[in-house]
């Protein structure tokens, strides 16, 4: 295993950012290669500790000559966001200088060619970081971007061109759900990983072996040794199932039995009032249309000081907020409905 340090120039003299990259060289040039990164939203740490728990297994596989395809790992993908604190509170989701989500604004290339990356010499540090992350990941057959939600189940975002071919990956990782999407106009990292292959020859696209996904490892507080070990085992199973690592002791993953739904089926459930949230449901609950999901206490002690929120359709609760204070219009939860949502915002990738 080789470790290198990437350095990103800051936006003023004397300021720069750095992050480590670990590389394992595969012994079979025909084997698929893999790229894993975590904490693009710098405060989302379940993926960071999962990679930490995965590394001993990779080192063992390397020592035993079982790594067939090259593996590149970026355990802390966002040193800019990692350094952002405001009045003692960490702010790792948006770049404070541009107000841009760190998982937006990635270059969506017309082909998987690093020469097509934009010149970021006169851009901001966040753009230089995004361009470098795309460059590091470009050309890999498997690209995993490890995130987490607020409170939620473990689930994947998967482009429709890769489903159901990626069902073995979802089964290997042990996730609860898969959300399918088809269009990215905002430049997510996952979009930057899959869009360059949409209009190239089949022998370049290799959709039969390609994996590109945003992995949502439950909630932001699920930073736990037991969960990290289980997530690392899921990542290892995926790498074995796809031929990056050889391990005859592991059986092939069975069928995926979790929830699969298009992005358009998700109801985000905006809060009608500001106040304190009392939830009636938790992630994983199956609800019927008309089920009360939450009560918002907006005028405590007053006869009409509560507003109830009900399910617009049958479905599964995928996520909810970890904080219990909410403003009007903020999202209460993600409901994966059995049919298309009536809310036009459901077609937006949130992470």
């Amino acid at each position: 295993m080789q470790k290198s340090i990437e350095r990103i120039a800051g936006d003023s003299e004397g300021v720069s950012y750095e992050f480590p990259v670990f590389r394992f060289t595969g012994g079979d040039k025909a084997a698929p290669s893999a790229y894993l990164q975590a904490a693009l939203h710098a405060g989302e740490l379940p993926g960071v500790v999962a990679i930490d728990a995965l590394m001993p297994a990779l080192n063992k596989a390397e020592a035993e000559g079982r790594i067939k395809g090259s593996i590149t790992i970026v355990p802390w993908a966002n040193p800019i966001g990692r350094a952002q604190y405001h009045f003692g509170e960490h702010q790792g989701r948006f770049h404070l200088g541009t107000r841009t989500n760190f998982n937006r604004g990635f270059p969506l290339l017309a082909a998987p060619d690093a020469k097509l990356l934009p010149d970021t010499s006169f851009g901001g540090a966040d753009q230089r970081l995004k361009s470098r992350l795309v460059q590091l990941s470009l050309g890999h057959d498997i690209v995993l971007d490890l995130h987490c939600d607020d409170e939620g189940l473990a689930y994947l975002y998967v482009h429709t061109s890769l489903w159901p071919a990626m069902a073995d990956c979802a089964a290997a990782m042990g996730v609860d759900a898969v959300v399918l999407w088809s269009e990215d106009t905002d430049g997510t990292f996952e979009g930057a990983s899959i869009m360059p292959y949409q209009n190239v020859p089949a022998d370049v696209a290799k959709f039969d072996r390609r994996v590109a996904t945003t992995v949502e490892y439950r909630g932001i507080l699920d930073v736990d040794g037991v969960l990290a070990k289980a997530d690392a085992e899921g990542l290892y199973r995926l790498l074995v199932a796809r031929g990056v690592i050889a391990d005859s002791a592991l059986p092939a993953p069975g069928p995926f039995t979790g929830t699969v739904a298009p992005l358009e089926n998700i109801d985000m459930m905006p809060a009608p009032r500001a106040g304190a949230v009392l939830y009636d449901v938790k992630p994983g609950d199956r609800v019927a249309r008309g089920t009360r999901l939450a009560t918002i206490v907006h005028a405590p002690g007053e006869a009409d000081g509560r507003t109830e929120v009900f399910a617009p359709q049958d479905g599964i609760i995928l996520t909810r907020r970890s904080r219990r204070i909410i403003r009007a219009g903020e999202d209460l939860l993600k409901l994966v409905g059995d049919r298309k949502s009536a809310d036009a915002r459901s077609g937006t990738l949130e992470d």
Side-chain angles (χ1 to χ4, degrees):
M1 185 266 290
Q2 294 181 329
K3 175 185 176 181
S4 62
I5 300 295
E6 293 286 332
R7 290 181 173 84
I8 304 297
D11 294 330
S12 59
E13 293 298 319
V15 175
S16 64
Y17 304 90
E18 62 181 40
F19 60 92
V21 179
F22 300 98
R23 292 179 174 89
F24 295 84
T25 301
D28 181 356
K29 292 184 178 180
S33 62
Y35 173 88
L36 287 71
Q37 74 175 29
L40 181 56
H41 289 143
E44 298 180 356
L45 302 183
V48 173
V49 295
I51 285 177
D52 178 67
L54 173 66
M55 291 296 283
L58 297 184
N59 288 326
K60 184 174 186 292
E62 181 183 50
E64 295 173 353
R66 294 187 289 106
I67 293 186
K68 302 302 181 183
S70 295
I71 304 171
T72 301
I73 297 180
V74 181
W76 289 103
N78 185 358
I80 302 172
R82 190 178 176 188
Q84 290 184 162
Y85 283 81
H86 185 64
F87 296 119
E89 293 290 332
H90 184 239
Q91 304 290 331
R93 188 174 184 83
F94 296 90
H95 183 219
L96 296 182
T98 63
R99 304 179 185 180
T100 302
N101 188 320
F102 279 113
N103 197 19
R104 298 293 185 275
F106 280 91
L108 301 177
L109 306 182
D113 185 350
K115 294 179 182 178
L116 299 176
L117 286 168
D119 182 3
T120 58
S121 301
F122 299 102
D126 60 329
Q127 283 302 314
R128 287 189 285 276
L129 173 66
K130 292 172 185 179
S131 182
R132 184 56 181 147
L133 291 175
V134 170
Q135 189 176 26
L136 286 169
S137 65
L138 207 60
H140 288 84
D141 302 290
I142 298 169
V143 178
L144 305 179
D145 188 19
L146 310 184
H147 287 251
C148 70
D149 214 294
D150 207 348
E151 285 184 9
L153 302 178
Y155 66 101
L156 307 179
Y157 284 111
V158 177
H159 191 267
T160 52
S161 66
L162 301 181
W163 193 263
M166 267 184 60
D168 63 322
C169 300
M173 297 180 74
V175 298
D176 301 296
V178 172
V179 177
L180 303 176
W181 63 277
S182 58
E183 185 178 359
D184 183 353
T185 58
D186 296 324
T188 64
F189 180 79
E190 182 183 351
S193 301
I194 188 61
M195 301 312 289
Y197 298 94
Q198 294 302 302
N199 297 301
V200 296
D203 62 330
V204 177
K206 301 177 184 177
F207 284 127
D208 59 329
R209 63 188 276 174
R210 187 159 305 285
V211 173
T213 183
T214 301
V215 182
E216 300 286 357
Y217 276 138
R218 295 168 302 274
I220 198 165
L221 298 181
D222 290 324
V223 184
D224 174 272
V226 174
L227 292 175
K229 181 176 182 293
D231 293 337
E233 290 170 350
L235 292 170
Y236 183 79
R237 284 194 297 268
L238 184 155
L239 295 173
V240 171
R242 283 302 177 111
V244 181
I245 297 174
D247 191 336
S248 58
L250 277 186
F256 179 64
T257 59
T259 299
V260 182
L263 193 66
E264 291 75 18
N265 283 28
I266 292 184
D267 278 291
M268 296 299 296
M269 305 303 301
R273 301 292 295 267
V277 182
L278 302 174
Y279 282 110
D280 291 285
V281 294
K282 63 183 182 302
D285 286 352
R286 177 83 190 178
V287 298
R289 180 182 179 183
T291 300
R292 189 176 70 187
L293 305 177
T295 299
I296 300 174
V297 181
H298 53 84
E302 300 182 29
D304 58 351
R306 290 174 162 229
T307 297
E308 298 178 321
V309 179
F310 300 93
Q313 60 167 313
D314 297 354
I316 299 288
I317 303 300
L318 187 64
T319 73
R320 68 180 187 182
R321 295 167 58 91
S322 59
R323 290 176 296 142
R324 297 301 187 259
I325 185 171
I326 199 165
R327 295 180 297 174
E330 286 189 306
D331 296 322
L332 281 163
L333 50 77
K334 290 190 186 86
L335 168 65
V336 181
D338 292 349
R339 57 185 59 86
K340 186 175 180 179
S341 168
D343 183 355
R345 295 183 315 121
S346 69
T348 301
L349 281 170
E350 192 195 35
D351 208 353

